[in-house]
Amino acid sequence: MATILDVAREAGVGVGTVSRVINGRERVAPATRARVLEVIDRLAYAPNQSARSLSMGRTDAICVLVPFLTSASVNARLQGVVEAFRSSGREVTLRVADTPEQRDQAIAAIVGGSKPAGLIVISLPLSEITIAELRAAEVSTVAIDVALPGVPSVTVDDVAGGKLATKYLLDRGHRAIGFIGDDDEQGLGFRSSTNRRLGYLQAMADLGLGARPEYIKTGPFGREVAHRLTRELLSLENRPTAIFAASDTQAFGVLESVAAQGLAVPEDVSVVGFDDVELAPYVGLTSVRQPLFESGKLGAAALLDLLDGAEVDDVPLSLTIVERSTVSDR
Amino acid sequence: MATILDVAREAGVGVGTVSRVINGRERVAPATRARVLEVIDRLAYAPNQSARSLSMGRTDAICVLVPFLTSASVNARLQGVVEAFRSSGREVTLRVADTPEQRDQAIAAIVGGSKPAGLIVISLPLSEITIAELRAAEVSTVAIDVALPGVPSVTVDDVAGGKLATKYLLDRGHRAIGFIGDDDEQGLGFRSSTNRRLGYLQAMADLGLGARPEYIKTGPFGREVAHRLTRELLSLENRPTAIFAASDTQAFGVLESVAAQGLAVPEDVSVVGFDDVELAPYVGLTSVRQPLFESGKLGAAALLDLLDGAEVDDVPLSLTIVERSTVSDR
DNA sequence: CGATCGACTGGAACCGCTTCCAGAACGGAT
DNA sequence: ATCCGTTCTGGAAGCGGTTCCAGTCGATCG
């Protein structure tokens, strides 16, 4: 493995000069530059990243921080991120934080340790203090699926999405609409479900329909819990004719539950999900679509721009409803 | 950020001693050790990884090398890997190689550059030469879903799996059984499909049934291609009564295609897939199940053992058929 | 024509760790 | 008391980069 000293010797220049041509920001005489470049190529020299990091006090890598990998939506976004970084040749490190402790630990490791060049946060809210730490450590950050103050964020409007889904059901004649969502039992601060419920309530209110607390069920995130909550909803005296689930994963639980009660979708109960994950078309689930993979790619591209010193704005993504076969007119 | 020198000064010892207590392999007087440990704790000292890597010529990180992230099975295995490393606190870096060039480039970066402590290879065959390079660079390696000579591997027997699926169909009276698989158009050397086909042929031969070339269709991996190949299969004069697909992804393409031809599953055509991915239960696909997530966890555990200096053997995983609703008796 | 200036360059110092070597301290054997 | 062998310890050297400072060298200016 050739070192910078080998290159310097071979090219008959000093190490400082080699360093300068590698990093190319300072002025070096064209002839010298050419000579050094030739030697670098000939020796197949590649700078030692550890030495570089030690000297500069930071890494070249990109860190991706996610709350969990098992979530279909987080996973799809991650795929987009990785795809976008593929050609950049940068090292991508993955950190999973599914409790506040793990999150704090991850952040501590990032600002106090590995100091990556960039950080991509997927779906995980971060406190102002944390964001300030990141800024102080000069870790360029981009957020995906979560709006972080002062950080370029790739997001959709969940309230509008909730409204969209609910309005879709209202337009098809439904009035008794249930909501199945999750509450943030981990304390990580997820807002999607809450915001989508807000949209649901607004859409109802827009038609003068008040909130019916018994129609709103929440619990820990997951298909099984959604299944259980749906059973409660369906055993109500006036059971809803439609259910809006805060995510597709939960919608799948709803579908199972409806079937388990001996009811039919969409004849007896209509269902709308959110995210339009890969499974949705297979199940025929009508869902609010957000571009998951795309959001990852866009976030990664934004980070690359940021690292290039460009100004980067928030990237709003739009929501559409994908009609399949889990909703019928009323 | 405290350095090892701060700790040494504060504890009234030399840096060598501090290093020794941190790495704990050499003998240090108990009293000294205690004092140093106390100071480390008080100053919240954490060794600088870059300095450590530079000095030792290798990294503490674990690298996971995958052919692509979008494959449901690779993804599930990756989830298992990440899950298993979560508590270890090690940095996990991800490398995607979906062409031979990218693979070679990734290996070059690993052995000549980042020198991770360990490498986990998922589903990607590696040449003997590459494996020798890895060994020379002292990168402990574990393979998942691919048998690499001289490397502890977590695998299933694909030939047996192909046999299992085919025999299942045979037992239910099918004789005209088609096979849909993929060929390795990227040149990455994937063997799963080929091996599963081998198992299919063996099972047929065991009953004295010869191979019928027109019943065997292969093409690039993917749902769409499987869809197309299935159409060819179904337009045969004596169309098969059952189809064994080399993967669930392809089986989904088969299912779509059958429906598109106006035929019914399983009445007109039975279908068996392979992998039992997350989607399979939703679609009711009968499939050969292999523990995907589990394989990731086991591979990661094996690597951790290897890093601890333990002897590690190959881990064979078993296959079972999961009966759902895409196969009927004949 | 000497002074001045800017462009370019060499190389020492430094980043924070590991490792090796030599020396200190101590107990036991002679 | 001397010597030797252990055990423990301090600190210099080295890992391979970046960066800053001082120096060289033409060209330009007065």
Side-chain angles (χ1 to χ4, degrees), chain A:
Chain A
M1 201 82 288
T3 72
I4 200 172
L5 192 62
D6 298 325
V7 175
R9 230 174 343 230
E10 188 76 10
V13 301
V15 293
T17 302
V18 177
S19 179
R20 265 166 240 137
V21 351
I22 293 169
N23 298 298
R25 38 180 154 279
E26 295 185 63
R27 17 178 66 279
V28 174
T32 312
R33 168 183 305 277
R35 189 148 35 96
V36 171
L37 251 17
E38 185 272 326
V39 173
I40 286 179
D41 192 53
R42 183 149 51 80
L43 301 186
Y45 166 74
N48 179 311
Q49 291 303 320
S50 302
R52 199 148 199 279
S53 306
L54 173 58
S55 185
M56 302 203 302
R58 58 168 41 286
T59 285
D60 261 354
I62 300 294
C63 177
V64 182
L65 181 61
V66 301
F68 22 65
L69 219 50
T70 42
S71 151
S73 55
V74 169
N75 202 296
R77 295 183 206 275
L78 173 66
Q79 288 179 24
V81 170
V82 171
E83 169 68 22
F85 277 119
R86 188 107 63 90
S87 54
S88 82
R90 282 183 187 265
E91 203 155 87
V92 174
T93 84
L94 199 54
R95 285 190 191 271
V96 180
D98 59 11
T99 64
E101 293 71 41
Q102 290 184 7
R103 177 197 57 203
D104 296 341
Q105 195 178 314
I107 294 292
I110 288 168
V111 302
S114 52
K115 281 264 191 67
L119 171 67
I120 292 197
V121 181
I122 300 183
S123 304
L124 191 64
L126 257 31
S127 71
E128 301 253 1
I129 298 171
T130 302
I131 294 170
E133 282 177 2
L134 252 13
R135 198 188 319 282
E138 294 187 308
V139 177
S140 301
T141 305
V142 167
I144 297 177
D145 187 38
V146 54
L148 302 184
V151 170
S153 306
V154 179
T155 53
V156 297
D157 182 341
D158 282 315
V159 177
K163 230 166 151 170
L164 184 64
T166 311
K167 201 158 173 314
Y168 177 79
L169 290 169
L170 290 168
D171 285 350
R172 313 208 63 178
H174 294 275
R175 287 298 175 272
I177 303 176
F179 174 87
I180 299 274
D182 47 287
D183 35 46
D184 180 26
E185 92 275 26
Q186 298 277 28
L188 249 16
F190 297 127
R191 307 273 315 156
S192 302
S193 177
T194 310
N195 284 336
R196 291 167 191 175
R197 187 182 60 204
L198 228 52
Y200 155 83
L201 290 171
Q202 284 183 12
M204 298 295 274
D206 283 354
L207 249 70
L209 268 24
R212 298 174 57 171
E214 73 276 21
Y215 276 4
I216 299 180
K217 301 277 183 191
T218 63
F221 183 86
R223 205 179 70 227
E224 296 77 8
V225 174
H227 187 123
R228 180 169 54 72
L229 295 175
T230 302
R231 193 165 50 222
E232 295 179 17
L233 222 44
L234 296 180
S235 58
L236 250 30
E237 288 183 35
N238 286 313
R239 66 158 195 252
T241 61
I243 296 176
F244 166 40
S247 73
D248 282 358
T249 300
Q250 288 160 313
F252 298 140
V254 172
L255 292 177
E256 285 175 6
S257 191
V258 173
Q261 310 293 300
L263 296 173
V265 172
E267 293 75 11
D268 300 312
V269 183
S270 291
V271 178
V272 173
F274 203 115
D275 284 342
D276 192 32
V277 298
E278 197 192 353
L279 260 97
Y282 290 97
V283 183
L285 178 66
T286 293
S287 185
V288 176
R289 169 168 209 284
Q290 64 169 320
L292 297 170
F293 184 84
E294 196 67 15
S295 74
K297 280 182 83 164
L298 289 171
L303 182 55
L304 251 13
D305 286 347
L306 210 55
L307 293 175
D308 278 349
E311 285 283 311
V312 176
D313 291 327
D314 282 352
V315 181
L317 257 26
S318 57
L319 260 14
T320 52
I321 198 145
V322 179
E323 305 193 57
R324 296 204 182 87
S325 51
T326 52
V327 174
S328 65
D329 289 351
R330 181 86 199 157

